[in-house]
Amino acid sequence: MKHKKSFDDFENLEKFERMRGSHKIKTKNKEPLFLNENLWKKISDKKNFAARVVEVHKRYAFVSSEKTLGRIKTNDVWLATVAKKFLIEERKERNFVAVGDRVLCSPDSKRPTTSGNEDDLPRCVIQAIAPRSNEIARMDPLLESRRHIIASNIDTLFVVASLWFPRVRWGLIDRYIALAELEKIPVAIILNKADLFSKDHCSDSFIQKAEERIANYKTIGYPVYLTSAHQNDFLTSKEYKQITKQMKGKISLFTGHSGVGKSTLVNAFDPQIIQVVEPDENIFYKGRHTTSYTSFIKLGTGGFIIDTPGIRSFRLPKVSPQELAYAFKEFRPLISSCKYRQCCHNEEPECGIKDALDAGNLYKDRYLSYLSILLGTSGRKGRLRDQEDIDVDIDTDIESS
C-alpha cells in the first residue's frame, strides 16, 4: 500500500506549506477596479457615495465626498481602504489609487489598523475608480517594472523651481513638460526665489543662460512666472494675480525639486489646510523638502491645488522616440522634414530637427534635454544606457542643468 505523505515526511514546515499551497485553487477577481461612472449603479446602493482621493498613504487613503462632479467637500474626510478583492491582483502601479482619483466608496463600520489621529474619522471601502483623464507618473525608483502615479485628473501642471538655492534644474523642468504634453495637460513654469537672481548671488554666465531659457520657454508658448513667495509684497505682485487667475476653478498640480518653496507658494493662495514650512532659516539655502505626502487642497482664491513632496529622481515612463519628439512642442513642425519616418533625431541623416539646430532655428539646450531622455545619458558623467531605458535622475542631469 502506498504511503500517504504527512508532515513528518518533510524536513521542515516550509516544504510542507509549499506542497499544501500547490493544491490551492487560485481564483482571479473578475470585477475591474477601474469602471466608468455610468456603470457604478450596478455595484451601488443608497449608502454608497462618490468621492475624490485627497491623500494616499501606504495602507490607506483619505477621500472627500464629491456627490456632484467638481463639488468636492474637502472638510468631509473619510479614511478609505481598497476593497480586499482587488488586493490579490498583480498590478503595474505602485499605488492602487492616486491623489485626484474619483472613486466610489461604501461606508465601513470596521476599524482598520491605523496610526496617528485617524481613529476619529469615518471609514469607507473603495469599490471602483473612474477612468483617469490624465495622470502624472514616474517609474518606481524601488521597482522598475512598476509606475508610481503621483496624481491624476489635473487641469494645469505648474512646474516649480528655484532659480538659486537650490539651483534650477532645467532638465527636470523639460521632463515634466514632456510628460505633460504626452498627457495633454497645460503647463506653466514658476521660478521661485527670484530675488536671488542677481549678480550678488549668481555668475554672469548663469544669468545669461537663465534669461535665454526663460525667453525660449515663452517663445514656445509656456507661461513663466518669476516669484519670491517668501516676501511680503508677493500677494500684491502681478505674478500672484496671474497665477491665481490661471488656477481659479481648476485642479492644479504643483511639483518640482525639493526645497524650492512649493509649500510657501501654496500657503500664499489661502489654502484650507496650511502646509508646513521648515522653520530652520537655512532651508532657504539647503533646498530640503518638508512636504511628506501629496495633498489635495481647496484654495480660498478659487479652485484646488495638489501639493507634492519634493523629488530627487524622476524617471519618465517608457515611450517611443517618436512619442518623445512629439512631446517637445517646437519639434513638431520639423518632424515631417525628416527623411525617415522612424527618425530618432540623433544620428540619422537628413533630419529636419538637426537641420534646424544647425541653422540656429532651434534652442540647443532643449535638444540636449531631448537626447538626455532619449539615450539616458548624462553630460556630467558621460554614461550611456540602453535607448529604451529613459533615465532621468536629476542628480546626473545634462550640464545645462
Side-chain angles (χ1 to χ4, degrees):
M1 182 176 178
K2 190 175 180 180
H3 175 64
K4 186 177 180 179
K5 287 186 176 182
S6 66
F7 174 70
D8 294 334
D9 295 315
F10 295 89
E11 295 178 1
N12 54 50
L13 181 62
E14 181 181 355
K15 288 186 178 181
F16 178 75
E17 291 293 344
R18 188 161 58 245
M19 182 200 74
R20 188 177 66 173
S22 65
H23 293 288
K24 289 182 179 180
I25 299 176
K26 295 179 174 62
T27 59
K28 186 175 181 180
N29 177 42
K30 296 182 180 180
E31 296 182 33
L33 177 59
F34 286 87
L35 190 67
N36 286 324
E37 291 185 56
N38 57 1
L39 299 176
W40 282 6
K41 294 181 180 179
K42 292 184 178 182
I43 58 175
S44 181
D45 59 35
K46 293 181 179 180
K47 295 182 179 180
N48 288 2
F49 62 95
R52 185 78 66 154
V53 177
V54 297
E55 194 167 291
V56 174
H57 294 252
K58 186 175 181 179
R59 299 179 185 274
Y60 56 91
F62 294 111
V63 302
S64 293
S65 59
E66 186 188 11
K67 295 180 180 179
T68 303
L69 186 62
R71 296 186 179 181
I72 307 166
K73 297 182 179 180
T74 51
N75 57 348
D76 181 19
V77 181
W78 294 64
L79 184 65
T81 54
V82 177
K84 290 182 179 180
K85 61 187 176 184
F86 299 114
L87 300 180
I88 62 174
E89 293 294 308
E90 182 180 359
R91 65 186 191 275
K92 296 181 180 179
E93 287 78 28
R94 175 180 174 180
N95 41 325
F96 279 99
V97 296
V99 172
D101 279 347
R102 183 169 163 82
V103 295
L104 177 67
C105 301
S106 60
D108 184 15
S109 59
K110 296 180 180 179
R111 301 179 66 83
T113 301
T114 61
S115 59
N117 299 319
E118 295 87 12
D119 290 339
D120 296 333
L121 295 176
R123 268 73 170 175
C124 64
V125 177
I126 295 174
Q127 303 290 351
I129 304 175
R132 296 162 178 157
S133 60
N134 56 55
E135 59 187 26
I136 293 296
R138 62 172 178 166
M139 301 305 292
D140 189 344
L142 302 178
L143 188 61
E144 292 186 1
S145 61
R146 295 192 310 192
R147 298 186 308 152
H148 175 203
I149 313 298
I150 298 173
S152 67
N153 302 321
I154 303 155
D155 294 319
T156 308
L157 173 65
F158 286 89
V159 185
V160 185
S162 57
L163 281 163
W164 199 254
F165 296 119
R167 182 176 171 178
V168 59
R169 305 278 189 174
W170 300 113
L172 180 63
I173 293 175
D174 286 336
R175 290 167 192 140
Y176 271 117
I177 291 175
L179 182 57
E181 288 289 347
L182 291 171
E183 292 290 329
K184 296 181 174 58
I185 304 173
V187 185
I189 302 166
I190 298 178
L191 298 176
N192 198 27
K193 305 182 184 180
D195 53 305
L196 296 182
F197 188 51
S198 66
K199 292 184 178 180
D200 294 336
H201 302 279
C202 311
S203 65
D204 291 342
S205 60
F206 175 83
I207 293 175
Q208 181 182 357
K209 177 69 69 175
E211 290 176 343
E212 290 176 359
R213 275 276 191 173
I214 293 169
N216 181 251
Y217 285 132
K218 291 181 178 180
T219 299
I220 297 171
Y222 299 119
V224 181
Y225 305 110
L226 272 65
T227 64
S228 297
H230 64 285
Q231 293 193 332
N232 295 330
D233 60 351
F234 173 58
L235 298 182
T236 59
S237 66
K238 66 175 183 179
E239 289 80 12
Y240 174 81
K241 295 176 182 177
Q242 291 170 340
I243 297 172
T244 300
K245 183 178 180 180
Q246 190 168 352
M247 291 195 300
K248 191 170 184 179
K250 298 180 179 179
I251 297 174
S252 304
L253 173 68
F254 272 34
T255 190
H257 188 33
S258 302
V260 297
K262 293 191 300 296
S263 294
T264 302
L265 277 165
V266 172
N267 289 341
F269 297 101
D270 191 18
Q272 190 177 57
I273 301 174
I274 300 297
Q275 298 298 82
V276 177
V277 179
E278 173 64 56
D280 181 5
E281 293 181 357
N282 290 326
I283 186 64
F284 189 74
Y285 302 95
K286 292 176 182 177
R288 191 169 69 248
H289 71 83
T290 55
T291 302
S292 300
Y293 298 98
T294 302
S295 301
F296 191 102
I297 305 167
K298 185 177 181 179
L299 299 177
T301 54
F304 302 88
I305 197 167
I306 300 176
D307 186 23
T308 64
I311 64 167
R312 292 185 176 87
S313 64
F314 189 89
R315 300 187 65 189
L316 286 176
K318 294 178 182 179
V319 295
S320 68
Q322 290 70 42
E323 289 176 301
L324 181 60
Y326 184 83
F328 283 72
K329 189 188 293 187
E330 68 271 37
F331 289 8
R332 296 173 191 173
L334 306 170
I335 294 174
S336 60
S337 302
C338 295
K339 179 179 180 179
Y340 300 102
R341 181 177 296 180
Q342 301 297 322
C343 185
C344 296
H345 321 296
N346 181 22
E347 297 179 347
E348 297 85 352
E350 299 183 45
C351 169
I353 290 176
K354 291 197 298 179
D355 290 344
L357 186 67
D358 293 338
N361 297 326
L362 200 64
Y363 190 62
K364 182 179 179 181
D365 284 356
R366 281 276 289 175
Y367 177 71
L368 292 177
S369 287
Y370 165 79
L371 287 184
S372 178
I373 303 173
L374 176 72
L375 302 176
T377 59
S378 167
R380 188 172 299 165
K381 293 188 177 181
R383 293 187 300 175
L384 179 63
R385 294 179 176 81
D386 183 82
Q387 184 169 318
E388 293 184 355
D389 181 15
I390 306 176
D391 182 21
V392 290
D393 178 43
I394 63 174
D395 290 326
T396 58
D397 197 4
I398 56 177
E399 186 57 35
S400 62
S401 294

